[in-house]
Amino acid sequence: RAKADGRGTYRFFETGMDARAQARRLLEMDLRAALQRDEFEVFYQPIRDVASGRVVAFEALLRWNHPQRGLIAPIHFIPLAEETGLIVQLGEFVLRSACTDAASWPDDVDVAVNLSPVQFKSPNLIASVTEALAASGLDARRLELEITESVLLQNSEATLTTLHELRAMGVRISLDDFGTGYSSLSYLRSFPFDKIKIDRSFVSELATREDSMAIIRAVTGLGRSLGIVTTAEGVENDAQLELLRREGCTQAQGYLFSKPRPASDVAMMLEGPRLRASA
Ligand code: C2E
Ligand code: MG
Ligand code: MG
Ligand code: MG
C-alpha cells in the first residue's frame, strides 16, 4: 500500500512539474514574441524633492501590454526574463526608450532606469548605455541607473570596474531597495553611490512601527553624512511625507504623487499638484 501511495505521489509530482515546466516554456515563447511584436512599454513614476516639491526625476518601470492578458507588471515576467537571458534585450529596450523619452523633458528632470543583476554582468552593458545616450542625445548626467545589493554580493573586481566606468561617463548610480536583503553598510564603502533608495517596506510602516522610524532616521542621517541623496519609495500619504520631511529625507516617490503612467502623461505629471508647504 505504501508503495502504491508512493507511486501515486511520484506521478502526481511529476505531472505537477510537467505542467509548471510547460507553463514556463509557454511564457518564454510569449516573451520572445512580445519583443518582436513591440508589446513592451515603459511607464514613468515621478520622484519629488521633499523640500521644494519639484519633480526632479522619473523612474522608468517596464510594463507588458499583453494582447489577451492586458497590462502585466514586471514581477510576473522579469524573473523568467532573467533566467533565460532575455532581460538583456528587454533592458536595452528600457534604456533606449527612457533616454529617448527623457531627452524631450525639461533639462532639470532626470530619468532613473533599473538594471537587473544579469544585465549588469552582461558584457554589452557599457556599450548599450553608451548607445542609448548617443542615439537620444541625452546628457549622461541626467541618467541614473538603479542597482540592488545583489549586484554587489560577490563584490568582484569586475563589478566595481563597471560601476566606475559608468560613473566616468557621467551616469549616476543609485542603490535600490535599501534595507532589504543583505543590507550591509560595507556596500556603501565599496562604491560611492549617488543615491540610496529606502525600501517601501520601511515607509509603509513609518506611522505604526518605532523601529521603521529609527531605521529611516539612521539611513537619512547616513546619507547626509556621506553626501548621498536619500529617496523614500512607496510614499502613499501625507503623514508619511511629513515624517520623511522631518527626518531630512531628500526625495520621495509613491502613489501619493502618482502611480507609474505612460510617457504621454509625463507633461501632466510635471504640472501636477505641488507638495504642501512645509509645516
Ligand atoms: P523598484 O525598482 O523598487 O520600483 C518601485 C516599485 O514600487 C514599482 O513597482 C512601483 O510601481 C511601486 N510603487 C511605487 N510607489 C508605490 C506606492 O506608493 N505604493 C506601492 N504599493 N507601490 C509603489 P513595479 O513597477 O511593479 O516594479 C517592480 C519591480 O520590478 C521594480 O522595483 C524593479 O525591481 C523591477 N523593474 C521594473 N521595471 C524594470 C526594468 O525595466 N528593468 C529591470 N531590471 N527591473 C525592473
Ligand atoms: Mg527601482
Ligand atoms: Mg526600489
Ligand atoms: Mg522596492
Side-chain angles (χ1 to χ4, degrees):
R1 232 185 80 193
K3 207 171 175 184
D5 276 346
R7 249 182 94 96
T9 306
Y10 178 69
R11 276 220 194 101
F12 178 76
F13 180 66
E14 199 179 35
T15 313
M17 286 297 282
D18 234 41
R20 232 186 311 159
Q22 203 175 334
R24 188 183 173 281
R25 273 196 299 275
L26 280 176
L27 180 62
E28 184 182 344
M29 278 167 51
D30 222 9
L31 266 178
R32 287 188 196 278
L35 265 163
Q36 300 302 312
R37 290 192 300 242
D38 267 338
E39 288 170 8
F40 291 99
E41 182 176 353
V42 179
F43 274 35
Y44 294 96
Q45 185 180 36
I47 302 174
R48 286 179 184 266
D49 176 74
V50 171
S52 69
R54 190 175 76 82
V55 172
V56 287
F58 286 91
E59 179 172 3
L61 294 158
L62 188 58
R63 296 292 182 266
W64 179 1
N65 269 310
H66 194 283
Q68 279 88 43
R69 291 155 65 197
L71 210 59
I72 307 182
I75 177 105
H76 301 296
F77 61 88
I78 292 220
L80 185 64
E82 289 186 319
E83 271 180 60
T84 56
L86 281 171
I87 191 70
V88 173
Q89 244 180 297
L90 260 180
E92 283 174 1
F93 166 77
V94 177
L95 261 174
R96 259 183 283 124
S97 309
C99 291
T100 305
D101 289 335
S104 72
W105 305 341
D107 279 351
D108 57 358
V109 179
D110 300 335
V111 67
V113 175
N114 293 285
L115 292 186
S116 107
V118 177
Q119 194 187 358
F120 189 86
K121 287 187 182 71
S122 103
N124 321 353
L125 179 71
I126 299 289
S128 34
V129 173
T130 308
E131 200 264 335
L133 288 170
S136 61
L138 186 77
D139 185 336
R141 286 167 299 187
R142 290 178 58 201
L143 176 63
E144 299 171 11
L145 297 177
E146 299 191 357
I147 62 167
T148 52
E149 310 170 322
S150 54
V151 167
L152 300 165
L153 260 178
Q154 301 93 330
N155 200 9
S156 71
E157 214 41 54
T159 302
L160 290 179
T161 305
T162 305
L163 286 171
H164 283 289
E165 273 182 282
L166 291 166
R167 169 64 63 73
M169 291 164 61
V171 171
R172 276 167 301 144
I173 312 288
S174 306
L175 191 51
D176 203 354
D177 301 339
F178 190 75
T180 60
Y182 296 86
S183 264
S184 139
L185 295 180
S186 71
Y187 294 137
L188 296 176
R189 226 178 30 179
S190 61
F191 183 79
F193 287 93
D194 298 283
K195 186 188 276 194
I196 298 171
K197 298 193 78 171
I198 305 170
D199 191 68
R200 182 172 89 217
S201 54
F202 300 104
V203 177
S204 65
E205 293 169 344
L206 249 184
T208 50
R209 286 186 59 164
E210 290 274 326
D211 49 0
S212 289
M213 188 69 231
I215 287 168
I216 297 227
R217 181 168 297 154
V219 178
T220 52
L222 197 63
R224 239 186 332 275
S225 325
L226 296 173
I228 303 176
V229 168
T230 47
T231 302
E233 298 183 317
V235 181
E236 295 186 350
N237 58 54
D238 283 311
Q240 291 165 345
L241 181 63
E242 193 43 47
L243 287 169
L244 291 163
R245 192 202 310 276
R246 222 181 295 160
E247 295 310 326
C249 187
T250 329
Q251 302 175 345
Q253 171 180 5
Y255 295 168
L256 173 64
F257 306 126
S258 175
K259 291 196 170 183
R261 307 183 64 91
S264 53
D265 287 345
V266 160
M268 183 261 288
M269 289 190 274
L270 279 170
E271 282 163 18
R274 294 267 140 171
L275 295 184
R276 283 153 189 78
S278 43

